[in-house]
Structure formats: structure tokens, C-alpha cells
Amino acid sequence: MSDLRLGYPFRGMVVFAAMLALALLLMILPVSSGLAWTIAAGVVLVTLVAVVLSTLQRNRAREQSAHVLAALGATAADLPLSLRTRMPLVLVTGDSLPELFDRGGDEERLVHVGDGAIWLRINNPRDLPQVGVAVKQWRDGRAPDGVALSIAPALHASEDALTQALRVARQAVSDASRMLGMRLPGYIAIYQRLTASPTTATATATDPPWYGVSSASMLTDASKEVLLGGALKGVSLRGTQPFEAVMRAAEAQVQQAGRDPVPAARAAGLASVIGWTQRIVIGSLADRQQPAAPWDLWGIGWIDCGPASDPCSPWARDVHAHSRIMPPSMDASPEPWPLPQPLIEAMPRQRWVSPRLAAFAHAIALLACAGALAIWGAAKNNQALLTRIGADLDRFTMIPADRDTARRDALQALVADRDQIDRYARLGVPPRLSFGMYRGAALMPVLNDAIASYQAPSPLPFVVTLDSMSLFDSGKAQLRPGSTRAMVGALEMIKARPDKRILVAGHSDNVGSADSNLKLSIGRAGAVRDWLVEASGIPVTQFAIQGYGDTRPIAGNHTDAGRAKNRRVEITLVPDAPKEVPLRDASKEGS
């Protein structure tokens, strides 16, 4: 509830923070897509709940505080906003509020502007939380400066009834502090007739003075200020009790009054009412066994003014119980009674910042946090990009050249990386890599060099092996009639690839001399070439023949089967005539 600031654009700030969070999640932060959308849905749900609850609370607070705002507007309409926020505003609750506020008129007054403060009347202490929120709205986001509790002991039938009323007020102040998000300074004003001397409503020298203590901090601190005769007089209370200093101030007045009996009677009554206040009032408000937080007491004062007093009042019975002296009956003081202005002279001034300025500062802080997160997320994303591309480069480099399928897969990854970097260069870097963290442009030359270094392996040549025994007679190099049917498959292969060069190589077994076997293999290769040239129509310049004799056996020559395999003619289609495989026509070489 501490965030319920009626002058503060709470809903706008919630929506603004949610939009920043969604932008970071979905565009920048290094989280998986599924997790990002899950968190984004949660952010949207929380935002909607917060906006709805804030709207309901705002509307309810406006309804509950409408009469207070109307009274404030009617009474303090002439006050400018700057004075509204700088002038102390005190909520007054407790006893005898009509005597304090209804100054000579029949109409009930809720607000009194004057005496150095704006005094707001709270008839029911339970209304303090709602009224505090209304005041904060009326003052453009500044909470009340304090709560003054008016206590007239003569109006209570017993100490138990007074104690119960004090507990109600204490709980109300605790609830108001929680709703406003701050501890409200508390002030106690005791209105009790101490003497039978007449008082008037006019500000004369005979007006009863205020006695008490007030401070710019809680009364548990060492330095206090004593109130005397309506004026503040600084007194150091180190090592002494503050109420003892009050009594010394009253006794000093007795000495100054000479033979006047009123100050002496007032000092005697003041001593008894101070003791009664300590036991009954302060004890109830500071008792830590109660559920509500103890009241932060910053000032307490007593004045010889109040309702009619008789021997049945709680204070009178307390005096009789402790001194065996019964105070006489006294008439009520003339109205209006003075508001406890001297009590708030030392009131601390709140540090107040305009809600709009606070919202602007909070928006700047949110933007700064979002910017820091964006830079961090972009740095992480760029590191992930560099790591991934580096891994792709390492994988491509480590794959041996003979594993061409794996190298081609690695090459495709490099091409995709290069295309991604190129796309960023042409269309712009995405937000998740921006904010000055992008380093991908430096990888483009490295990727281009790696891609250009790839060389596809030479394709394997197409080879057709012909059995020489099915084409030639033993020791002959002329094709036998009908043997061309064995070369139909080779002819079809050559016609299907007319752009390839054709190598016709002859081989023999090791029977006979090496020279004769070499000449025989060359002759047989030439015979096959001539037939293929005639049958295919391919220029003879695209053919080459080679004789190897018995130098390249494919089986052992010690068996008939092995020698039969070695007697062969191989027709090979050579792709693109690579330089490392020179083709030479053996028919043009000497034997």
C-alpha cells in the first residue's frame, strides 16, 4: 500500500517499466525464445493486475475522501499550490474538536488555516488513513506533516475508556503511516483546567501558556526544546528528564509572579497532570505489547484550558489517589480553545519533490537500468556470435581434405555466417547486437578467405575394363570379327560425355618379353581407339592411347586366371584433363 501515490503517475510508470522489460526480453537479452515469451506473458499479467488494483484503490480513495477534498478546497481555495505544499499541515483528532475548530459559527468547520499551519479536523480517528491519502492528493503528492491528538481528561468517564480511545487512535495512525509510506510525527495536546482563574478567547497577557516539549526529532533524542508561555525557549536536556525541565520552567514562572497565587496553583496541577500523562497516555501509546506500532512522539504539551472538571474525572481521581487532595470543580474554558501551535514550531520539514519530477527521475533511472541491461545483453549476444563463427571456422579448418562431405557441410555453415554478416552490413545491425558492442564486420574478410580456400576434389574418372581375349586373338592387335559388341557399353559411356577426354590403355600378362608385351598393349589400345573414333564420331584428338605391357598387373601372373585378368584394355574418361595427369599418345613414341 505504500505505493498508493495519488499525485504520482503510478499506472503510467508501471506500464512504462513493463514496456522496457518486454523490449529487453524479446529484442535484446540473451534468453531462449520460449523462456522470453513465458516471462513476457508473466510481465503482461502482473502489469494488468497492478493497473487494475491501482485504479480500484484510486477510485475508492477518491470516494472516501471526497468530503475532505471539498472542505479543503472551500477553505483553502485561495492558497497557491506552492504554499499548500510548504505550509505545515497537521491532522487533529481526539477530544473537544468543536471547541478547537468551530470558532463562533454554527456550521461545523473541518479546516482552519492560520497560526502558521493548516489544521485539518478528523472527527473519527479511524478516518485518518483515508484523510491522509486525500491530503496527499490535495497537496500534489505531499503527505501530512503530523498528527495532533487532543486529549481532554475531564471528558472521559474512566481511565479504561480513555485507554481504549488511545489504542484506537494509535492503530489509526499506524494504518495511515502504512498507507502513506512514511512515519507520521505525533503530537499530544492535553486540555485540562488546572486553575479556576478566568480565561478569555482573546490573545491577552492573561491567556494560559503552553507547557511541554517539542523537538525536530523523536523525544527519545537528547536535545529537546521546552515550551513556555507560548514561545519556544531552547534548553539542553542532556542527562535530565524532559518533563523535569517543564516543571522547572513552571516553577520559574511562580518565582516571577511574586504573590500571584495562580502560577503556583498551575504549577502544582501541572506536576500532577504530567505524571498522569506519563502513566496513562504515553504508556498506552508506547506499549510495545499492542499490535499497532508505537506512536512516534515528537511533542507533548499541556495547557490550563479545557472542559468543565469535577472530582469524578480520571485526572481528579488520580490526583486524589496520589496526594489525598481532591481538585475543586472548575468551569469550562471559553471557546475557541487555542490550537497547539507551539508544539509544531520545531516540526521537521519534509523533503518534498513534485510527483511529476519524481516520476521523471524514476523514468530516467529505469531507462538507465534498461540501457545497462541492454549493453550487457548485446555484449553477451556478440560474444555468442563470435564464439559460434569461430567454432565454424575451426571445424572447417580441422576437417581433412579427403572428407569432402563433412567439409561441404562446414562450408555451408561458413557461407551462412558470411551471408548473415553481409545482411547486417546492408540492412543494419539488429538491436540485440547493437549498443556499440557489434564486432561482426571484422569477421567478413576471415570468412571470405576461408570460403575461397575450399577446393573441390577431382571427380573420380569413369573406367570401363575390356577383356583382351574377347577382343583379340592371342598375340594379335587386330579386333576379331563380332568383338565390337563387347565395346558397346564403353561407346555409350563416351557418347553420354562427349566433352571428356578418353584414355585407352592396354595391358598384358608377363608371358613373353617386356618389349613385345609393351608393343602388343599399345597396338591393342590403338585398335580399340580407332573403332571408338569411327563409331562415336568424336575427333581423334580427344583420344589418347597408352600401353603399359605387363607393368600394372591387377592379379597374380602365376595362374591362368590371374594372367587372364591382367590381359585387358581400360577405357577411362578423364575429367577436365587435369595437369597432374598428363595424357600422351604412345603411338607417337618410339618403341
Side-chain angles (χ1 to χ4, degrees), residues 386-444:
L386 297 178
T387 301
R388 176 173 59 81
I389 294 179
D392 291 343
L393 286 167
D394 292 341
R395 183 164 65 94
F396 176 77
T397 304
M398 296 298 293
I399 297 175
D402 57 351
R403 295 178 55 191
D404 187 62
T405 301
R407 281 178 63 82
R408 283 180 178 274
D409 292 340
L411 180 66
Q412 291 300 320
L414 294 183
V415 171
D417 294 338
R418 192 266 315 275
D419 292 344
Q420 183 182 35
I421 299 299
D422 179 68
R423 185 167 60 254
Y424 292 162
R426 291 183 292 104
L427 304 180
V429 180
R432 64 186 183 86
L433 297 173
S434 301
F435 301 95
M437 297 291 108
Y438 182 64
R439 298 293 182 270
L443 296 176
M444 181 66 82

Side-chain angles (χ1 to χ4, degrees), residues 195-507:
T195 65
S197 61
T199 59
T200 63
T202 60
T204 67
T206 60
D207 282 347
W210 280 96
Y211 298 89
V213 291
S214 181
S215 172
S217 58
M218 291 180 61
L219 288 183
T220 54
D221 295 341
S223 179
K224 305 292 183 295
E225 291 174 333
V226 176
L227 300 174
L228 179 60
L232 284 169
K233 295 185 179 180
V235 177
S236 176
L237 300 180
R238 293 185 182 273
T240 65
Q241 294 295 327
F243 300 145
E244 293 178 2
V246 176
M247 288 305 307
R248 287 199 300 270
E251 292 170 359
Q253 274 194 336
V254 174
Q255 296 177 0
Q256 295 174 0
R259 297 182 179 181
D260 188 355
V262 174
R266 185 174 292 154
L270 182 63
S272 63
V273 78
I274 287 177
W276 176 85
T277 302
Q278 288 180 285
R279 293 190 304 273
I280 305 302
V281 179
I282 298 179
S284 299
L285 296 178
D287 184 7
R288 295 189 177 276
Q289 295 182 354
Q290 297 299 319
W295 198 343
D296 293 338
L297 188 60
W298 294 53
I300 182 168
W302 300 267
I303 188 171
D304 184 8
C305 175
S309 179
D310 58 51
C312 296
S313 69
W315 171 70
R317 291 197 298 268
D318 183 80
V319 172
H320 182 266
H322 287 84
S323 64
R324 300 302 178 184
I325 298 175
M326 180 62 69
S329 298
M330 288 172 278
D331 295 333
S333 301
E335 300 178 9
W337 299 350
L339 288 163
Q341 173 64 33
L343 284 181
I344 66 170
E345 292 295 335
M347 174 183 286
R349 296 296 182 258
Q350 301 179 24
R351 291 184 177 180
W352 176 79
V353 178
S354 169
R356 287 165 294 280
L357 184 60
F360 178 75
H362 293 164
I364 295 298
L366 286 174
L367 283 175
C369 293
L373 281 175
I375 292 174
W376 175 82
K380 296 290 288 185
N381 291 330
N382 274 278
Q383 184 61 42
L385 175 68
L386 297 178
T387 301
R388 176 173 59 81
I389 294 179
D392 291 343
L393 286 167
D394 292 341
R395 183 164 65 94
F396 176 77
T397 304
M398 296 298 293
I399 297 175
D402 57 351
R403 295 178 55 191
D404 187 62
T405 301
R407 281 178 63 82
R408 283 180 178 274
D409 292 340
L411 180 66
Q412 291 300 320
L414 294 183
V415 171
D417 294 338
R418 192 266 315 275
D419 292 344
Q420 183 182 35
I421 299 299
D422 179 68
R423 185 167 60 254
Y424 292 162
R426 291 183 292 104
L427 304 180
V429 180
R432 64 186 183 86
L433 297 173
S434 301
F435 301 95
M437 297 291 108
Y438 182 64
R439 298 293 182 270
L443 296 176
M444 181 66 82
V446 181
L447 289 171
N448 286 332
D449 292 343
I451 294 171
S453 68
Y454 172 76
Q455 291 184 354
S458 299
L460 296 176
F462 294 94
V463 180
V464 175
T465 302
L466 304 175
D467 182 9
S468 295
M469 297 304 296
S470 63
L471 299 176
F472 305 97
D473 292 329
S474 178
K476 302 295 184 180
Q478 291 80 27
L479 293 171
R480 290 191 305 185
S483 61
T484 56
R485 287 180 297 179
M487 294 186 289
V488 172
L491 180 62
E492 292 177 353
M493 179 186 68
I494 292 171
K495 287 183 176 181
R497 298 169 179 84
D499 57 331
K500 303 297 181 181
R501 300 191 65 186
I502 302 101
L503 172 64
V504 183
H507 301 268

Side-chain angles (χ1 to χ4, degrees), residues 60-321:
R60 183 166 60 251
R62 284 178 174 173
E63 293 175 359
Q64 294 174 346
S65 59
H67 67 289
V68 177
L69 291 175
L72 285 169
T75 305
D78 297 334
L79 285 178
L81 180 61
S82 59
L83 187 58
R84 230 187 263 176
T85 56
R86 295 174 186 172
M87 195 173 184
L89 189 147
V90 182
L91 307 179
V92 184
T93 188
D95 302 330
S96 303
L97 298 184
E99 287 77 6
L100 298 176
F101 283 87
D102 300 342
R103 298 175 179 263
D106 296 333
E107 183 180 355
E108 180 183 81
R109 297 182 60 182
L110 296 179
V111 183
H112 176 69
V113 180
D115 296 336
I118 301 174
W119 303 87
L120 180 59
R121 172 178 176 175
I122 312 297
N123 291 321
N124 188 347
R126 293 184 174 87
D127 294 336
L128 274 173
Q130 289 76 22
V131 174
V133 172
V135 167
K136 193 170 185 178
Q137 178 185 3
W138 182 72
R139 300 181 82 195
D140 197 26
R142 183 171 181 176
D145 294 277
V147 177
L149 179 61
S150 169
I151 301 176
L155 296 181
H156 296 274
S158 64
E159 290 183 355
D160 292 339
L162 175 59
T163 300
Q164 183 60 33
L166 293 175
R167 290 174 179 173
V168 171
R170 170 178 169 173
Q171 183 64 56
V173 171
S174 177
D175 294 340
S177 298
R178 186 172 62 255
M179 291 188 68
L180 295 172
M182 59 173 291
R183 302 292 290 270
L184 291 173
Y187 300 88
I188 298 176
I190 306 294
Y191 290 88
Q192 174 62 48
R193 291 300 308 271
L194 302 176
T195 65
S197 61
T199 59
T200 63
T202 60
T204 67
T206 60
D207 282 347
W210 280 96
Y211 298 89
V213 291
S214 181
S215 172
S217 58
M218 291 180 61
L219 288 183
T220 54
D221 295 341
S223 179
K224 305 292 183 295
E225 291 174 333
V226 176
L227 300 174
L228 179 60
L232 284 169
K233 295 185 179 180
V235 177
S236 176
L237 300 180
R238 293 185 182 273
T240 65
Q241 294 295 327
F243 300 145
E244 293 178 2
V246 176
M247 288 305 307
R248 287 199 300 270
E251 292 170 359
Q253 274 194 336
V254 174
Q255 296 177 0
Q256 295 174 0
R259 297 182 179 181
D260 188 355
V262 174
R266 185 174 292 154
L270 182 63
S272 63
V273 78
I274 287 177
W276 176 85
T277 302
Q278 288 180 285
R279 293 190 304 273
I280 305 302
V281 179
I282 298 179
S284 299
L285 296 178
D287 184 7
R288 295 189 177 276
Q289 295 182 354
Q290 297 299 319
W295 198 343
D296 293 338
L297 188 60
W298 294 53
I300 182 168
W302 300 267
I303 188 171
D304 184 8
C305 175
S309 179
D310 58 51
C312 296
S313 69
W315 171 70
R317 291 197 298 268
D318 183 80
V319 172
H320 182 266

